[in-house]
Amino acid sequence: MHIVLENVVKYYSRFKALDGVTLHVEEGEKVAILGPNGAGKTTLVKIVSGQMRANSGKVEVMGLDPAKTSRELRKKIGFVSHNPMIYDELTAYENLKFYANLYEVKEREERIKEVLKKVKLYDRRHSLVKTFSRGMKQRMAIARALLHDPDILILDEPTSGLDISGRRELLEYLRKLKKTILLTTHNINEVEKLCSRAVILMNGKVVAECEISEVEEVYMKIC
């Protein structure tokens, strides 16, 4: 298994954000985490990516505990959230050069060129990120996540800010990747285009798991 969560609990003060969540994701699988606002989706992916510790339960990513080996796992995980987390005062190229050094990317220049072309920002590589639109910043975040060729992609509402064409192109690109993908989204159409199955969270609990062919019916019935 690439991702294993068993009976995971997470509190924010007295609020229980995750309440005994169990989830297994196999290598190469593309799994969606669906649920309304406050369901616990972002908390879950932050725990998987090592950005946050669970209060109890078992968490393993590629056989490692992300809370104890976050530095090692950062080289194996690409993370994209609805907040691009890009340095506005640097150019697109300078941003990726910084992260390439951080991740110790081999053949750095070629890899930077490759990912900028994939997200259609190569012609703006020397522009300051603060001049970019919201959608362009999100594409920069995706380029950063792909830069070190991670084994696992964790995508927390990655198409936020993208126009229809941008969403379509991103989903098509992600669909072709032979990588393990964990996706949170409110968009059932995105789930149907990218993922093989879905897990539905409500109030911090897994309330359903289903195949993509039945995801809309199950999700609408529950939520």
Side-chain angles (χ1 to χ4, degrees), residues 79-96 98-99 121 127-130 132-145:
F79 186 86
V80 178
S81 75
H82 51 276
N83 178 3
M85 295 183 289
I86 299 294
Y87 294 106
D88 279 349
E89 298 300 324
L90 299 180
T91 67
Y93 170 79
E94 288 168 340
N95 264 281
L96 294 188
F98 170 79
Y99 284 105
L121 287 174
S127 298
L128 293 176
V129 169
K130 67 181 180 182
F132 286 4
S133 67
R134 177 69 177 83
M136 291 169 70
K137 288 183 179 181
Q138 192 65 3
R139 281 187 275 155
M140 270 297 302
I142 292 161
R144 184 203 62 218

Side-chain angles (χ1 to χ4, degrees), residues 5 14 28 48 52-53 86 137 151 160 165 168 213 221:
L5 285 82
R14 295 182 179 180
V48 171
M52 184 180 291
R53 288 176 178 261
I86 299 294
K137 288 183 179 181
D151 297 288
S160 175
S165 176
R168 186 185 303 117
S213 59
K221 185 181 295 183

Side-chain angles (χ1 to χ4, degrees), residues 155-173:
L155 310 172
D156 189 15
E157 300 184 30
T159 61
S160 175
L162 296 181
D163 58 22
I164 293 174
S165 176
R167 290 185 182 192
R168 186 185 303 117
E169 289 175 1
L170 173 62
L171 291 170
E172 181 64 20
Y173 174 70

